[in-house]
Amino acid sequence: RAKTLARRLEPSIVPLVRHPDVAVRTKAITILARSRSDAAIDAVVAAAEDQSESVARVALASLGARPSQNAVSAVTRILVKNENWAMRILAAEALGRLGAAGAPGPAIKGLTEAARHDAYALVREAALTALATVDGAKARELAASVAGSDPEPRVRETARALASARGGAP
């Protein structure tokens, strides 16, 4: 009954991701994140680029179960362009989930770029780790390169662990 009710209410919940109140937007995203409909997923993807960081964080944390070109593009934009390193980490994690769920090509490209070139070590490390969930072989290959070249010891350590892991994750 609850699932049926949620499906029936969904068309009235989707517009709430644009509501002026941050708390309402956040709750709407939390409900829509469980949905399988295109409209719900599109609303969550749009919310990933919300002006409110708390709304965008909830949306990014919700993405990954159902990949789409739109989702991968939005998350990649955040990973590449967002000034906040914490948001870029969340984007790397979301891109890893999207890639593992069926959109590996674009996810690999975005994660590889971030692992090689992001200004923040924590973002590079998150991207490298997320890449391992998408494609273990590519992650090991990149990790072998990063293990000897990254300026941050923690990233080099993670890269060494990934490079020596058989399944792609340490």
Side-chain angles (χ1 to χ4, degrees):
R1 286 185 174 190
K3 288 181 182 180
T4 302
L5 181 60
R7 276 193 301 272
R8 287 185 182 159
L9 290 175
E10 188 176 291
S12 63
I13 296 171
V14 168
L16 294 177
V17 298
R18 293 183 305 277
H19 192 276
D21 186 345
V22 170
V24 172
R25 291 196 312 265
T26 302
K27 287 177 186 173
I29 292 163
T30 303
I31 293 167
L32 294 174
R34 296 184 186 116
S35 176
R36 293 282 202 201
S37 80
D38 290 340
I41 299 303
D42 289 345
V44 174
V45 169
E49 297 181 284
D50 194 277
Q51 294 285 344
S52 166
E53 185 177 309
S54 62
V55 172
R57 283 175 176 271
V58 170
L60 282 171
S62 300
L63 289 172
R66 191 162 163 232
S68 69
Q69 181 59 43
N70 192 22
V72 171
S73 295
V75 173
T76 301
R77 267 192 310 278
I78 294 166
L79 180 59
V80 171
K81 295 182 179 182
N82 198 294
E83 294 180 11
N84 184 331
W85 61 267
M87 293 298 288
R88 293 197 311 273
I89 288 174
L90 291 172
E93 293 168 350
L95 197 53
R97 290 189 305 272
L98 288 165
I108 290 169
K109 182 179 178 189
L111 292 169
T112 299
E113 281 298 309
R116 287 188 190 272
H117 303 295
D118 197 274
Y120 283 79
L122 293 171
V123 177
R124 293 192 307 272
E125 182 179 23
L128 192 55
T129 302
L131 181 59
T133 66
V134 178
D135 187 326
K138 290 207 185 296
R140 285 190 300 278
E141 180 183 316
L142 178 60
S145 167
V146 170
S149 64
D150 197 275
E152 178 62 38
R154 180 176 165 161
V155 176
R156 290 193 309 265
E157 181 181 317
T158 298
R160 280 192 292 275
L162 285 170
S164 65
R166 287 203 171 139

